[in-house]
Amino acid sequence: MSLKLYSFDVFDTCLVRVWARPVDLFLELGAQLQQEQLINIDPFDWQKLRVEAERSARKSVDHGEVTIADIYGSLGRIFNWSQEQIEGALNKEVQLELRSLLPVSSMASRINNLRQQGNRILYISDMYLFEEHIITALKQHGFWHTTDTLYLSSRWQANKASGRLFKKCLELENIMPSNLSHIGDNYRADFDIPRQLGISSELFDETQLNRYERIVANSHDLPTRFRSILAGVSRLTRLQSPA
């Protein structure tokens, strides 16, 4: 029997944030940085600046992949931060990210069942965080096993959407595309691209906001932080409920 490996996207597949949208985390971070007088701008302006700093950093390199250190190096120059302040702000984002994550129960059960059947698990993620951050999150929520491997865009300077991260995975695992099965929430990066490469792929869309959650998240009658958490908690509750 030929070797079969199973790979999983991390964010919005195995782990989901309490925030309705990833950028809402930056708003919360901005409030913390403002309170500590690391920034002298409104949290909403910080949110926009944090998004733009990442976009600019990606445009500055041919492969388009950056680390959180690259992003905060750019922000540090804008605010004239010391190296200690850069590291402090960076660590605040990482810790807020880790505290904001909860497991997707159905995916945890699926991965555990695959392991019990003797299969090996891989994680493939397009993300600017460092490996230790993502492995820590996976460990905290019972996803990580010593036999697992993480393929991370910020480490390999290659992403799923281009197909290059999947190719790197196949190369390092020394397997054919037909020996890999992948699941994730992004249609292009997790479903269409791997399928074009000959990898079996499955789209997992349960973490997408439903109609009610989108209405709440987009409501201008509620404060941004409140509506983001309200929609996010609704999603989390739905995902934790038995099928």
Side-chain angles (χ1 to χ4, degrees):
M1 181 181 296
S2 60
L3 178 66
K4 187 76 173 182
L5 299 181
Y6 292 85
S7 66
F8 294 81
D9 172 47
V10 177
F11 295 90
D12 291 330
T13 299
C14 296
L15 302 172
V16 67
R17 297 173 179 90
V18 68
W19 308 98
R21 299 184 179 89
V23 295
D24 294 337
L25 180 144
F26 302 151
L27 187 62
E28 176 70 11
L29 176 62
Q32 294 183 14
L33 295 176
Q34 185 187 54
Q35 186 174 18
E36 297 196 8
Q37 299 184 335
L38 273 171
I39 61 173
N40 56 2
I41 60 175
D42 184 272
F44 287 96
D45 291 331
W46 162 264
Q47 182 189 48
K48 294 174 185 176
L49 191 60
R50 169 61 180 81
V51 171
E52 182 55 36
E54 181 180 341
R55 184 182 296 115
S56 297
R58 292 185 184 280
K59 287 181 179 178
S60 69
V61 290
D62 292 338
H63 48 73
E65 291 304 313
V66 295
T67 68
I68 192 169
D70 297 324
I71 297 167
Y72 273 84
S74 175
L75 289 166
R77 289 187 290 274
I78 293 172
F79 290 101
N80 197 28
W81 284 339
S82 66
Q83 186 58 38
E84 182 179 1
Q85 289 172 318
I86 290 173
E87 292 174 2
L90 184 157
N91 288 331
K92 279 189 176 298
E93 177 172 327
V94 171
Q95 293 308 311
L96 181 58
E97 183 80 78
L98 293 178
R99 292 196 304 272
S100 298
L101 294 169
L102 286 172
V104 177
S105 297
S106 62
M107 203 54 63
S109 297
R110 183 168 184 169
I111 290 173
N112 286 335
N113 288 337
L114 285 169
R115 278 212 189 91
Q116 289 173 6
Q117 295 166 14
N119 297 294
R120 185 158 155 256
I121 303 299
L122 311 176
Y123 296 98
I124 304 181
S125 179
D126 288 348
M127 188 56 170
Y128 44 76
L129 293 177
F130 291 125
E131 278 189 331
E132 67 248 38
H133 301 146
I134 295 179
I135 291 174
T136 293
L138 290 169
K139 282 181 177 179
Q140 284 178 342
H141 297 291
F143 282 95
W144 188 259
H145 189 272
T146 54
T147 59
D148 297 345
T149 301
L150 170 64
Y151 289 94
L152 187 61
S153 63
S154 60
R155 176 184 177 185
W156 296 108
Q157 298 182 347
N159 57 48
K160 292 182 294 182
S162 68
R164 291 189 294 119
L165 190 55
F166 286 112
K167 291 176 182 178
K168 175 59 69 173
C169 171
L170 296 174
E171 173 193 339
L172 294 178
E173 295 293 338
N174 193 28
I175 58 173
M176 299 294 293
S178 58
N179 298 128
L180 181 63
S181 180
H182 180 74
I183 181 169
D185 72 294
N186 186 283
Y187 181 84
R188 176 170 172 76
D190 292 307
F191 180 75
D192 188 41
I193 293 298
R195 183 157 290 196
Q196 289 181 30
L197 295 173
I199 297 167
S200 173
S201 62
E202 179 183 339
L203 185 65
F204 179 73
D205 61 3
E206 293 177 26
T207 57
Q208 300 297 314
L209 297 177
N210 63 25
R211 180 176 176 274
Y212 162 76
E213 292 154 0
R214 288 195 303 273
I215 290 172
V216 171
N218 293 325
S219 172
H220 294 293
D221 296 329
L222 299 169
T224 303
R225 183 180 186 276
F226 180 74
R227 72 192 192 214
S228 178
I229 291 178
L230 186 60
V233 169
S234 172
R235 172 175 57 185
L236 284 166
T237 302
R238 171 168 54 82
L239 290 169
Q240 304 307 317
S241 299

